[in-house]
Amino acid sequence: MTAARAVTTTPKRRGAVSRGDGQPPSAPLELTLQAEDYLKAIYELEREGDAAGTNALADRLDIAAASVSGMLQRLARLGLVKTERYHGTRLTAAGRAVALQLIRRHRIIESYLVARLGFAWDDVHDEAERLEHAASPQLIEAMARVLGNPTADPHGAPIPTASGEIAERELASLAALDVGASARVAGVNGRDPRLLRYLGERGIRPGVKVRIESREPFDGPIVVTVGREKQAISPGAAAHVRVEPKAP
Amino acid sequence: MTAARAVTTTPKRRGAVSRGDGQPPSAPLELTLQAEDYLKAIYELEREGDAAGTNALADRLDIAAASVSGMLQRLARLGLVKTERYHGTRLTAAGRAVALQLIRRHRIIESYLVARLGFAWDDVHDEAERLEHAASPQLIEAMARVLGNPTADPHGAPIPTASGEIAERELASLAALDVGASARVAGVNGRDPRLLRYLGERGIRPGVKVRIESREPFDGPIVVTVGREKQAISPGAAAHVRVEPKAP
DNA sequence: CAGAAAAGTTAGTACGTACTAAAATACGGT
DNA sequence: ACCGTATTTTAGTACGTACTAACTTTTCTG
């Protein structure tokens, strides 16, 4: 068969996940599931430090750094991020709005699964991770309504409002507290259900009071009092526990 | 920069939507969202006639016929369909199993949205269409449990069991009934919410008894008695109403 | 401050999924 | 049996997203 030139004649929009939220006035802004994941990850990394580094992103998303570079350029083209060549990436206002909506979806879904469908708090992350890309705003708001518009998810993380405001508290990591300090557990970061279960079994859950008893050198265990029991946990695990420091 | 040969070194699996149902023993079988949509559409077309034609599929999925051809070859490679060149496509047993699981997901989600989240029966299709690809088996079974394992969705369509059995009833189209015949509405086919709402407003809903009063020639309206009122509807709309014929 | 290590980018490739245009096949009616 | 139309497939292209390899830039350390 001989050559046939394909004359590009405005094909229709493809690849993006339509969530059926018809916004006729202005921007359609349909993002792919992957793009959404990047934005959320950038948001989180920005919160944990400064601009999100390419390798850190690659690590978190389990994607090769080179691929991340490429995607960041695409997101920059869409006006969702601002990348400073060789110096990390930040969300623009538009990008942050998308990320916050995703986080709202995620946390409401987690809350709903635990409250209404009998899921364990340590077993909802992956489910929410998938559903957050598929759920329409109507579904999310219906879930929120049924739950009485919760303000925190089962891990203690605050839920952004529908208009994208989030009550970020000043939190420290359990691993960073001094010996003798007391704190209230605000939440537990982390995607790994085993870690969540492990901590949960030791009583480390949102709302619980803890006190640092001692810490061993050379990355040794941290001993904390939880309720009336003492628990020795690794600094690695403790790093995922977000706490609200208290006066002794 | 000079040429660099990319040496293919077994990259990791990509593109498919992992639903987190870890089946370590045999087949992973992770399908993309699109592949799943094709399988469902083929299932439906097979039920409405014989092998699914490429154009019919293209029509239903709103995709160019050429693209459908390509995808069918991929699905055939995966052993999910059997295509007889130029003569339509059928699901294999494996393909049918996937389609039935999707239909189960879809119908349970629809049921749940109506029963627990205040959605209107004519407004759940699109939401379910997206969620069915993201929901894990655990979520689906949790929803089913909460609802008491329903056997039909809000449109009256039967829900396949978790093991893939479906109670397909012998149904006729309202458009095909003779004048004077009575029937019970079993369900309404269709993705178009306007049609569903239109019919619903006229009392045509699953479970309702109808009687054909008259039909006009040249594709004219069909007059049916619904409850104690007479309604004149177009044959096009009537064709979407599935009924269980009854003795007069 | 130089050189090594770390971090990031570019180049080239692959695959899934879509498109248009054009060719091939099948089918119904004269 | 033939011809035109409908259906389907192939050819060629595009784009998003991923990969590895190789290169560049920045940062850290002796």
Side-chain angles (χ1 to χ4, degrees):
Chain A
M1 200 170 271
T2 47
R5 272 146 297 115
V7 187
T8 311
T9 347
T10 351
K12 70 182 137 176
R13 208 44 195 88
R14 231 173 338 97
V17 199
S18 172
R19 236 178 331 248
D21 35 352
Q23 307 128 299
S26 59
L29 188 57
E30 296 209 342
L31 295 173
T32 61
L33 184 148
Q34 289 90 329
E36 294 189 336
D37 280 342
Y38 276 81
L39 293 175
K40 230 179 41 153
I42 294 165
Y43 179 88
E44 286 161 12
L45 287 173
E46 257 190 278
R47 264 192 57 71
E48 295 170 18
D50 212 31
T54 302
N55 276 339
L57 259 172
D59 240 50
R60 174 163 307 220
L61 296 169
D62 198 22
I63 280 173
S67 312
V68 172
S69 262
M71 178 62 117
L72 289 177
Q73 289 170 10
R74 238 166 289 133
L75 291 174
R77 232 194 316 115
L78 292 171
L80 296 165
V81 306
K82 197 87 183 169
T83 294
E84 196 121 355
R85 228 153 151 327
Y86 288 104
H87 290 286
T89 300
R90 291 169 194 282
L91 296 174
T92 61
R96 182 157 18 256
V98 173
L100 283 169
Q101 279 319 302
L102 282 167
I103 290 168
R104 174 171 170 79
R105 286 162 199 278
H106 184 96
R107 294 186 178 165
I108 286 174
I109 292 167
E110 284 194 342
S111 304
Y112 191 90
L113 292 176
V114 169
R116 294 296 156 123
L117 285 164
F119 278 65
W121 80 304
D122 51 29
D123 193 37
V124 288
H125 183 84
D126 290 358
E127 192 80 47
E129 198 76 20
R130 279 176 277 111
L131 293 174
E132 69 190 11
H133 301 292
S136 71
Q138 293 91 285
L139 175 56
I140 296 299
E141 297 320 316
M143 286 179 165
R145 206 177 314 122
V146 164
L147 298 179
N149 298 305
T151 58
D153 78 4
H155 307 104
I159 299 178
T161 65
S163 54
E165 275 132 53
I166 186 165
E168 297 279 19
R169 281 167 295 176
E170 267 317 312
L171 298 177
S173 156
L174 181 55
L177 288 189
D178 291 328
V179 171
S182 286
R184 205 181 58 78
V185 173
V188 180
N189 287 338
R191 286 140 282 288
D192 185 352
R194 289 169 313 181
L195 173 64
L196 295 177
R197 185 163 7 248
Y198 167 82
L199 291 169
E201 279 165 5
R202 255 138 272 252
I204 298 178
R205 268 185 267 259
V208 162
K209 283 182 197 109
V210 294
R211 196 182 121 84
I212 308 289
E213 296 304 332
S214 68
R215 59 193 328 152
E216 299 302 318
F218 305 114
D219 258 6
I222 297 173
V223 178
V224 294
T225 303
V226 183
R228 56 202 71 255
E229 286 186 37
K230 284 193 173 54
Q231 304 285 352
I233 62 177
S234 73
H240 286 94
V241 181
R242 301 196 315 277
V243 297
E244 212 168 312
K246 290 200 312 185
Chain B
M1 200 168 271
T2 47
R5 272 147 296 114
V7 186
T8 311
T9 345
T10 351
K12 69 183 140 177
R13 207 49 194 83
R14 230 174 341 95
V17 198
S18 172
R19 236 178 330 248
D21 34 353
Q23 306 129 299
S26 59
L29 188 56
E30 295 208 341
L31 295 172
T32 60
L33 183 148
Q34 290 90 329
E36 294 189 337
D37 280 341
Y38 275 82
L39 293 176
K40 230 179 41 154
I42 295 165
Y43 179 89
E44 285 162 11
L45 287 173
E46 257 191 277
R47 264 193 57 73
E48 295 171 17
D50 211 31
T54 302
N55 275 344
L57 259 173
D59 241 50
R60 172 162 310 216
L61 296 170
D62 198 21
I63 280 173
S67 311
V68 172
S69 263
M71 179 62 117
L72 289 178
Q73 288 170 11
R74 237 168 291 134
L75 292 174
R77 233 192 317 114
L78 293 171
L80 296 165
V81 305
K82 196 87 186 170
T83 294
E84 196 121 357
R85 233 155 150 324
Y86 286 104
H87 289 286
T89 299
R90 291 168 195 282
L91 297 174
T92 61
R96 181 156 20 253
V98 174
L100 283 169
Q101 279 318 304
L102 281 167
I103 291 169
R104 173 172 170 80
R105 286 163 199 275
H106 184 97
R107 294 184 179 165
I108 286 174
I109 291 166
E110 285 194 341
S111 303
Y112 191 90
L113 292 176
V114 169
R116 294 297 156 122
L117 284 164
F119 278 66
W121 80 304
D122 51 32
D123 194 36
V124 288
H125 184 86
D126 290 357
E127 192 78 49
E129 198 74 22
R130 279 175 278 109
L131 293 174
E132 69 190 8
H133 301 291
S136 72
Q138 293 89 287
L139 174 57
I140 296 299
E141 298 320 315
M143 286 179 165
R145 205 176 316 122
V146 164
L147 297 177
N149 298 304
T151 58
D153 78 4
H155 307 103
I159 300 178
T161 65
S163 54
E165 274 132 54
I166 186 165
E168 297 279 19
R169 280 168 295 177
E170 267 317 313
L171 298 177
S173 156
L174 180 58
L177 288 188
D178 293 328
V179 171
S182 287
R184 205 180 59 79
V185 173
V188 180
N189 287 339
R191 286 141 283 286
D192 185 352
R194 290 169 311 181
L195 174 64
L196 296 179
R197 185 163 5 249
Y198 168 82
L199 292 169
E201 279 165 5
R202 255 137 272 252
I204 297 178
R205 268 185 268 258
V208 160
K209 284 185 196 109
V210 294
R211 197 181 120 87
I212 309 288
E213 296 302 332
S214 68
R215 60 193 328 154
E216 299 301 318
F218 305 113
D219 259 5
I222 297 173
V223 178
V224 294
T225 304
V226 183
R228 56 201 71 255
E229 288 186 36
K230 282 193 174 53
Q231 304 284 353
I233 62 177
S234 74
H240 286 93
V241 181
R242 301 195 317 277
V243 297
E244 211 169 312
K246 291 201 311 187

